[in-house]
Amino acid sequence: MAPTSEPLTAERILEATEEVLRRHGPAKATVVDVARALGVSHGSVYRHFRTKAALREAVTKRWLDRTSEELSGIAADEDRVPEARLRDWLEALFRAKRRKAGDDPELFATYMVLAGENGTAVAEHIGDLIAQLARIVRAGVDTGAFAAADPDRTARAVFQAGGRFHDPCHARAWEKPGVEDDFAAVVDLMLRGLAAR
Amino acid sequence: MAPTSEPLTAERILEATEEVLRRHGPAKATVVDVARALGVSHGSVYRHFRTKAALREAVTKRWLDRTSEELSGIAADEDRVPEARLRDWLEALFRAKRRKAGDDPELFATYMVLAGENGTAVAEHIGDLIAQLARIVRAGVDTGAFAAADPDRTARAVFQAGGRFHDPCHARAWEKPGVEDDFAAVVDLMLRGLAAR
DNA sequence: GGAATGACAGATTTCAACATCTGTCAGCTG
DNA sequence: CAGCTGACAGATGTTGAAATCTGTCATTCC
């Protein structure tokens, strides 16, 4: 709106884009809207992002990275036993996703659309999360708490088996009564499957 | 088209509806089309199904029941050991879904739309499948092969943990290289989790 | 001279007039 | 008279002309 004296950076454009997406939704958020919100012409936005798709991808990456960072602390906490770390990590992922979906369903739906457009960014994010899991699994194998011939493969399996509690396509199920226990049952099954005997 | 002398039954209407859905897709399949395919007026269809939604629900139920029946044989085969039965059942479910999604993607997409419209029918179908799993789990507990304090809860957990390999919302992932091994890894983890120690 | 602008062509989206569909029912038909 | 028909009202979907958007670039501005 009001022209700012600050220089136009990619960062400022990304913030404005998030705001426009929040207000207008993914279908009606245009580059012209973003430019208007910043008080510049839309041509200036194209100086920082080659296409609208590239702009949306950058927004998506930022959003996904925020979630990764929330969890990386738990995965890296080598002071705690692997069982507890794994439980906490999975629970933190579930709670983070559920909170985002429940608090602002429209914004969550917006980011689901963006994620759908950017398979690559999502794949990288998932790779990131599985790497965090692999770190916990390897720690467990090292202490003798877990048995896993191939920690990376096992980490993938844990991630995929927990899909119902973090994959956005199941978001509607996260509000139903009983999910908490369903989640606990799946985690119990996985931890039993991991435990050395 | 050509008027048949056969009486107009709910069964014949359902068959014609499936055909119309196959040809036109879920968005363009109308009750008028179904009536035309049968050589009757659309008013006659409304004699057997109160609404278009009811007709679609009946088609959905038929389709879901066909899958349930495919699997019930494995679940009921008390002669085989529970580990093998569980493996086979999960694999049969995965293969059946993958075949349906891969062979005729458009038809599969059609049924995904129908399923989305009929939450109740889907919930019943899922209840059915989990009951079949529970039967296998209970058999395993009886023979001492499995440890499960609450077989129904465990059956739910097994079903949900395998979601990535039977839930239609992951259908695109079923064609990617590596799914086979991902599936095997998740089944291995679950069977280890079930095994008595 | 590097950053921003705004007019422009082609692609995409809106919107309202028009067409089709759903569900009902009085009456026809065998 | 049981089953079917077809005209109908209101709801839903289609269509194409007008409006908006995307991406470019010659020009302006500091």
Side-chain angles (χ1 to χ4, degrees):
Chain A
M1 304 278 174
T4 329
S5 53
E6 290 178 45
L8 185 61
T9 62
E11 182 63 23
R12 282 187 64 220
I13 293 174
L14 289 175
E15 268 158 30
T17 306
E18 281 185 5
E19 179 57 23
V20 168
L21 281 165
R22 194 169 286 124
R23 268 200 222 292
H24 295 42
K28 293 204 212 163
T30 72
V31 176
V32 172
D33 289 330
V34 173
R36 197 173 12 242
L38 288 162
V40 299
S41 77
H42 75 279
S44 300
V45 174
Y46 280 97
R47 173 163 301 282
H48 292 84
F49 295 93
R50 278 209 311 289
T51 63
K52 183 189 187 181
L55 175 57
R56 291 180 149 223
E57 188 184 343
V59 170
T60 310
K61 278 214 173 88
R62 261 164 66 104
W63 182 65
L64 295 172
D65 285 350
R66 262 178 248 148
T67 302
S68 295
E69 278 163 33
E70 267 186 62
L71 295 167
S72 62
I74 300 174
D77 183 1
E78 305 278 358
D79 293 337
R80 302 182 55 229
V81 296
E83 291 96 324
R85 254 201 287 168
L86 184 56
R87 247 184 216 287
D88 282 0
W89 192 92
L90 291 168
E91 193 157 318
L93 179 56
F94 178 34
R95 291 205 187 293
K97 289 291 182 89
R98 190 164 66 153
R99 181 169 35 74
K100 278 174 193 169
D103 285 358
D104 191 339
E106 283 193 47
L107 185 60
F108 192 74
T110 292
Y111 278 112
M112 276 180 69
V113 172
L114 292 193
E117 290 168 3
N118 289 290
T120 312
V122 174
E124 276 171 26
H125 174 241
I126 289 173
D128 229 53
L129 293 181
I130 292 175
Q132 292 188 21
L133 272 176
R135 181 169 180 174
I136 302 176
V137 172
R138 253 180 265 113
V141 172
D142 289 347
T143 67
F146 292 162
D150 180 346
D152 287 316
R153 181 176 186 261
T154 303
R156 272 184 84 78
V158 169
F159 184 78
Q160 295 184 352
R164 161 165 259 254
F165 307 101
H166 61 247
D167 196 312
C169 74
H170 296 110
R172 265 173 308 142
W174 300 340
E175 300 302 330
K176 292 193 183 154
V179 234
E180 291 284 352
D181 186 57
D182 286 349
F183 175 72
V186 169
V187 173
D188 287 349
L189 184 66
M190 292 197 297
L191 278 170
R192 273 182 62 95
L194 273 167
R197 38 206 69 176
Chain B
M1 297 286 180
T4 329
S5 53
E6 288 178 48
L8 185 61
T9 62
E11 182 63 22
R12 284 187 62 221
I13 293 174
L14 288 176
E15 268 157 30
T17 306
E18 280 185 6
E19 180 58 21
V20 169
L21 281 165
R22 195 169 284 124
R23 270 199 220 291
H24 296 43
K28 293 203 207 163
T30 71
V31 175
V32 172
D33 289 330
V34 173
R36 196 170 18 237
L38 288 162
V40 299
S41 77
H42 75 280
S44 300
V45 174
Y46 280 98
R47 176 162 299 280
H48 292 84
F49 295 93
R50 278 209 312 292
T51 63
K52 183 188 189 182
L55 175 57
R56 295 182 137 208
E57 188 183 342
V59 170
T60 310
K61 279 215 172 89
R62 262 163 66 105
W63 181 67
L64 295 172
D65 285 351
R66 263 178 248 148
T67 301
S68 294
E69 277 162 33
E70 267 185 61
L71 294 167
S72 63
I74 299 173
D77 184 359
E78 306 279 358
D79 293 339
R80 303 181 56 231
V81 297
E83 291 96 323
R85 254 199 289 167
L86 184 55
R87 248 182 216 287
D88 283 0
W89 191 92
L90 291 168
E91 195 158 315
L93 179 55
F94 178 33
R95 292 205 187 292
K97 288 292 182 87
R98 190 165 65 153
R99 181 169 36 75
K100 278 175 193 169
D103 285 358
D104 190 340
E106 283 193 45
L107 185 59
F108 192 74
T110 292
Y111 278 112
M112 274 180 70
V113 172
L114 292 192
E117 291 168 1
N118 289 288
T120 313
V122 174
E124 276 170 26
H125 175 242
I126 289 174
D128 230 51
L129 293 180
I130 292 176
Q132 291 188 22
L133 272 177
R135 181 169 179 176
I136 303 177
V137 173
R138 254 180 264 115
V141 172
D142 289 347
T143 67
F146 292 162
D150 179 346
D152 288 316
R153 180 174 188 262
T154 303
R156 271 184 85 78
V158 169
F159 185 79
Q160 295 184 349
R164 160 165 259 254
F165 307 101
H166 61 247
D167 197 311
C169 74
H170 297 110
R172 266 174 309 139
W174 300 339
E175 301 301 330
K176 293 195 181 152
V179 232
E180 292 283 351
D181 186 56
D182 286 350
F183 175 72
V186 169
V187 173
D188 286 350
L189 183 66
M190 291 197 296
L191 278 170
R192 273 182 62 94
L194 273 166
R197 38 207 67 175

